Amino acid sequence: MTSQYRVNYHLRSHKRDNLIEFIKGMLLTPFVLHPHDEESKATQEQENANRYAGIFGSIEMLIDEHRELLQAGIPTHSRLAKLVPSIGTFFTRLPLEAAFRHINRTNRISARKHVPPSFNDIRRILNMAQVMAIAPELQLVTFDGDMTLYADGQNFADDSPLTVLLIRLLRQGINVAIVTAAGYGTDAMRYEQRLSGLLRGFAKEELTPAQVARFYVLGGECNFLFRCRADYRLEFIDDTMYASSSLRSWTDTQVQQLLDVAEAELADCVRRLGINAQILRKPRAVGLVPHEELTREQLDECALSSQMALLRSQGAPKSEPCDVPIPFCAFNGGSDCWVDIGNKLIGVQILQEMIGSPPQATLH
């Protein structure tokens, strides 16, 4: 079997989300037990839709119970926690039944005879439910950059249809932020180049100073924050004005020591794998940039080797990169490999703290 994924192939555990897999299994039962009858297509499609909707309604109630017990301090006592032990925190209700019916009107999931509800179907329904739940209270929307708002390694295009949507959010008083792994230090012009099409869109639509001031860019995962000025240029905000207590606790000496470990490990990968590559050191990151195309497996090896070396250096070889004293990201970027200090979760939390947006009013 082949795959088109070049990014984090061996690290894509999120592609098998346990909650989604649980929902998939629940939906498979009516798909298998109630096949379509050629003589009553419309009726059976509606019956199937009702069965699927009922399942989503039941899961909605499980989530409600889980949230109630979370507030009571005993989330592990919920039925959902017993069915899906890895379940996380829900900051809002999720109207899953309504979201399913909305998606089904367009995608006709219940009309399919040969393809059961898929991972992507369920993720789309979960996303729709989250949008429905958060819309009345929404204060902050954050986006990834590469492979979300624009193609990997490319700039935000002048003709991107997303420009109109992002401008609409800003005009409605919602804060918009791009949280990206791209790290150019405090060089605002480099970020302006990547987002040139969007910033020109702001100018063309003559957004007011108050509107553009709600647009942020957070680079290097969580290390370099910029805000849009009235002249549609980006202005660097010194981290002493926003950094959370966890970020302030990282001294520059500690950061550089950690990057020394990452740099040494990447150098060992170059030697061990016979890679023709350059190692680049930045203030809060270190990366391996090959002079020739590497295979996905080579890049994954570099990322995983760096991750294990950094976990060992912090005395936590069995922990996750987000659960150590200095969190970090080690990732295969598709054509290169990078280690960044911090992560996007910290980046979103910094923005929440700065803007005053609680988790239940934030969408990433």
Side-chain angles (χ1 to χ4, degrees):
M1 181 180 72
T2 61
S3 171
Q4 294 183 354
Y5 285 117
R6 282 188 56 82
V7 180
N8 290 2
Y9 172 66
H10 290 289
L11 311 178
R12 297 179 71 87
S13 59
H14 61 285
K15 291 302 288 182
R16 287 188 61 84
D17 180 276
N18 290 330
L19 176 62
I20 293 180
E21 295 298 330
F22 169 69
I23 298 173
K24 261 181 69 177
M26 297 292 290
L27 295 173
L28 192 60
T29 299
F31 179 82
V32 171
L33 296 182
H34 303 280
H36 284 264
D37 186 338
E38 293 294 327
E39 297 180 357
S40 56
K41 289 182 180 179
T43 300
Q44 292 211 356
E45 180 183 346
Q46 184 58 50
E47 290 176 351
N48 239 19
N50 290 336
R51 294 185 187 104
Y52 289 157
I55 289 171
F56 278 109
S58 297
I59 295 168
E60 188 176 325
M61 289 189 289
L62 288 175
I63 292 173
D64 287 342
E65 181 203 44
H66 182 74
R67 294 184 69 234
E68 290 174 5
L69 293 176
L70 178 64
Q71 292 177 352
I74 48 173
T76 56
H77 289 201
S78 75
R79 288 179 294 165
L80 185 59
K82 291 178 171 58
L83 292 166
V84 187
S86 61
I87 200 69
T89 301
F90 296 90
F91 295 109
T92 67
R93 293 194 70 252
L94 287 181
L96 291 172
E97 183 173 351
F100 164 75
R101 292 192 182 279
H102 178 86
I103 294 292
N104 192 55
R105 281 195 290 271
T106 303
N107 292 1
R108 303 289 292 275
I109 298 170
S110 60
R112 298 200 310 235
K113 297 191 296 182
H114 305 292
V115 179
S118 68
F119 179 99
N120 288 335
D121 290 326
I122 298 167
R123 183 171 60 179
R124 193 176 300 116
I125 291 163
L126 287 168
N127 287 343
M128 177 58 66
Q130 185 63 84
V131 169
M132 288 177 166
I134 206 171
E137 307 296 330
L138 185 61
Q139 296 181 36
L140 170 65
V141 182
T142 66
F143 298 92
D144 291 339
D146 292 81
M147 300 180 70
T148 298
L149 295 180
Y150 39 82
D152 188 30
Q154 302 301 308
N155 298 336
F156 197 108
D158 288 87
D159 60 351
S160 172
L162 297 175
T163 301
V164 174
L165 301 177
L166 295 175
I167 287 175
R168 189 180 302 170
L169 290 172
L170 293 170
R171 282 178 168 161
Q172 291 177 349
I174 297 169
N175 295 279
V176 175
I178 297 175
V179 182
T180 173
Y184 308 120
T186 61
D187 187 354
M189 292 185 64
R190 293 290 303 277
Y191 292 99
E192 289 172 352
Q193 180 183 0
R194 296 296 306 275
L195 300 171
S196 54
L198 179 60
L199 296 174
R200 281 194 288 267
F202 291 171
K204 182 179 178 181
E205 291 296 319
E206 298 181 343
L207 293 188
T208 67
Q211 290 168 343
V212 295
R214 289 191 286 269
F215 179 72
Y216 300 85
V217 178
L218 187 49
E221 308 285 357
C222 63
N223 290 296
F224 309 104
L225 180 62
F226 300 83
R227 176 187 279 168
C228 192
R229 302 187 312 220
D231 61 356
Y232 311 109
R233 303 291 299 274
L234 296 178
E235 178 180 31
F236 175 68
I237 302 176
D238 190 86
D239 62 6
T240 58
M241 301 187 61
Y242 67 83
S244 66
S245 58
S246 64
L247 189 57
R248 288 196 189 102
S249 69
W250 310 343
T251 66
D252 188 62
T253 299
Q254 290 174 316
V255 167
Q256 297 311 314
Q257 289 174 346
L258 199 64
L259 291 178
D260 287 343
V261 173
E263 184 173 358
E265 187 63 31
L266 288 175
D268 182 69
C269 288
V270 169
R271 178 195 57 77
R272 179 162 49 90
L273 301 178
I275 294 173
N276 181 16
Q278 177 185 7
I279 295 177
L280 295 180
R281 180 74 171 255
K282 295 184 178 182
R284 291 291 178 99
V286 61
L288 181 150
V289 180
H291 298 306
E292 56 193 20
E293 184 175 356
L294 300 183
T295 66
R296 179 181 59 199
E297 290 76 14
Q298 287 174 308
L299 291 169
D300 283 340
E301 175 67 20
C302 294
L304 288 168
S305 294
S306 301
Q307 176 176 305
M308 291 307 301
L310 292 176
L311 291 174
R312 286 195 300 270
S313 74
Q314 298 193 67
K318 296 183 179 180
S319 297
E320 293 296 323
C322 59
D323 296 327
V324 288
I326 303 180
F328 64 90
C329 295
F331 59 93
N332 162 6
S335 59
D336 50 19
C337 173
W338 284 91
V339 174
D340 290 339
I341 298 298
N343 55 48
K344 290 178 182 175
L345 173 60
I346 294 173
V348 172
Q349 290 171 337
I350 286 171
L351 289 161
Q352 288 176 321
E353 183 179 288
M354 183 177 180
I355 293 166
S357 176
Q360 61 269 25
T362 303
L363 185 65
H364 178 69

